[in-house]
């Protein structure tokens, strides 16, 4: 299995632009998580899905952030408009069951907003 | 709100030393605690701990959980330069929702020659 696949690996954009991050979870996994990692705050859970349905988006920082999971093999995290403080590494992770197993992480997207 | 605190924040040791990394937590209805190793990219899974007092071991790494005192330790013996990484601790609540991991900020370990 190729693991969790994220794209792009790096993104540099100007403030105010829309940014879309993509994730393909491991086949057969039914839970998907979006995390953001910064030096100051560590790994923060933004939102997670189970069977393509958003379960908890309380970690999404602002209305500028939105996430979708149109099918079991694809999810997007969108930031519109982007701001410099959104600069971070964004990780996608998936788990094979709803509760109690470890999460498998993608390689992350390093976002820089200038 | 679930909380995970790791210590020390960073550590520099010489190759061959033994290190102990600490993780304390506060979580509603604890289910499990996970340790991850993060080098330059994605966190990679090390251990899952659910029961107190049972040591998990993998090569030079071992970990144990104390559910009464709400902490876990990760030991690395005979450290090597390849052990240099950020070690992350995460807890999973026992409520009937997804594996909503709450991470600590990590311990940055540097092993020097």
């Amino acid at each position: 299995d190729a693991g969790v696949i994220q794209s792009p690996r790096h993104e540099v954009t100007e403030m105010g632009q829309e940014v879309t991050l993509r994730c393909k979870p491991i086949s057969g996994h039914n839970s998907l998580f979006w995390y953001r990692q910064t030096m100051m705050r560590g790994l923060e859970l933004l939102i997670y899905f189970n069977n393509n349905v958003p379960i908890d988006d309380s970690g999404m920082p602002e209305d500028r952030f939105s996430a979708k999971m149109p099918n079991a093999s694809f999810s997007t995290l969108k930031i519109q408009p982007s701001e410099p403080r959104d600069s971070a590494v964004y990780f996608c992770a998936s788990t094979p069951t709803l509760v109690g197993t470890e999460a498998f992480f993608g390689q992350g997207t390093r976002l820089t907003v200038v | 709100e679930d909380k995970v605190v790791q210590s020390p924040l960073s550590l520099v040791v010489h190759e061959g030393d033994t290190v102990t990394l600490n993780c304390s937590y506060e979580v509603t209805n604890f289910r499990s605690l996970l340790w991850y190793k993060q080098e330059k990219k994605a966190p990679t899974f090390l251990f899952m701990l659910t029961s107190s007092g049972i040591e998990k071991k993998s090569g030079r790494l071992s970990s144990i959980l104390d559910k009464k005192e709400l902490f876990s330790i990760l030991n690395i013996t005979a450290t090597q330069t390849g052990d240099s990484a950020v070690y992350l601790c995460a807890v999973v609540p026992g409520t009937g929702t997804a594996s909503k991991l709450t991470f600590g900020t990590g311990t940055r370990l540097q092993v020097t020659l």
Side-chain angles (χ1 to χ4, degrees):
Chain A
D1 196 315
V4 176
I5 300 173
Q6 291 185 247
S7 64
R9 293 293 303 278
H10 302 274
E11 176 82 36
V12 180
T13 191
E14 290 185 340
M15 182 174 63
Q17 296 297 306
E18 177 179 297
V19 175
T20 299
L21 311 181
R22 297 173 175 78
C23 175
K24 181 180 187 307
I26 293 173
S27 177
H29 285 194
N30 58 8
S31 291
L32 182 142
F33 305 80
W34 281 101
Y35 287 89
R36 177 172 68 176
Q37 186 174 39
T38 60
M39 288 292 290
M40 292 295 294
R41 300 174 67 91
L43 265 169
E44 301 173 281
L45 179 64
L46 300 176
I47 185 172
Y48 65 96
F49 297 83
N50 180 249
N51 292 326
N52 313 338
V53 176
I55 302 299
D56 185 346
D57 66 354
S58 60
M60 297 285 260
E62 299 173 30
D63 291 345
R64 298 183 296 106
F65 285 69
S66 62
K68 294 182 180 180
M69 192 165 185
N71 58 61
S73 59
F74 184 65
S75 177
T76 60
L77 177 68
K78 186 177 292 186
I79 308 172
Q80 166 63 18
S82 57
E83 296 182 4
R85 60 194 169 118
D86 301 330
S87 298
V89 180
Y90 290 81
F91 285 104
C92 175
S94 67
T95 62
T97 60
L98 181 58
V99 182
T101 57
E102 73 272 21
F104 295 82
F105 284 80
Q107 294 300 299
T109 295
R110 182 175 293 278
L111 173 65
T112 303
V113 183
V114 298
Chain B
E1 183 178 327
D2 299 340
K3 187 177 177 182
V4 178
V5 178
Q6 293 187 244
S7 64
L9 292 180
S10 65
L11 191 57
V12 181
V13 300
H14 290 111
E15 201 171 42
D17 289 350
T18 293
V19 298
T20 298
L21 310 182
N22 304 293
C23 174
S24 63
Y25 62 88
E26 297 173 19
V27 63
T28 303
N29 298 325
F30 174 90
R31 176 178 294 273
S32 59
L33 184 145
L34 309 179
W35 283 97
Y36 284 83
K37 177 183 181 182
Q38 185 176 25
E39 295 175 86
K40 295 190 177 182
K41 298 181 180 177
T44 54
F45 173 74
L46 294 175
F47 297 113
M48 174 184 283
L49 302 159
T50 55
S51 301
S52 276
I54 298 176
E55 184 182 55
K56 292 286 185 83
K57 194 169 174 65
S58 176
R60 296 176 295 101
L61 277 67
S62 63
S63 183
I64 198 161
L65 175 67
D66 186 326
K67 291 168 72 172
K68 182 178 178 184
E69 300 297 331
L70 307 182
F71 78 91
S72 175
I73 60 172
L74 175 68
N75 280 320
I76 308 174
T77 59
T79 52
Q80 303 172 356
T81 54
D83 296 327
S84 298
V86 174
Y87 290 83
L88 297 164
C89 172
V91 293
V92 183
T95 53
T97 56
S99 296
K100 185 178 176 181
L101 281 68
T102 298
F103 282 87
T105 52
T107 293
R108 183 175 296 277
L109 173 66
Q110 183 179 351
V111 181
T112 62
L113 292 173

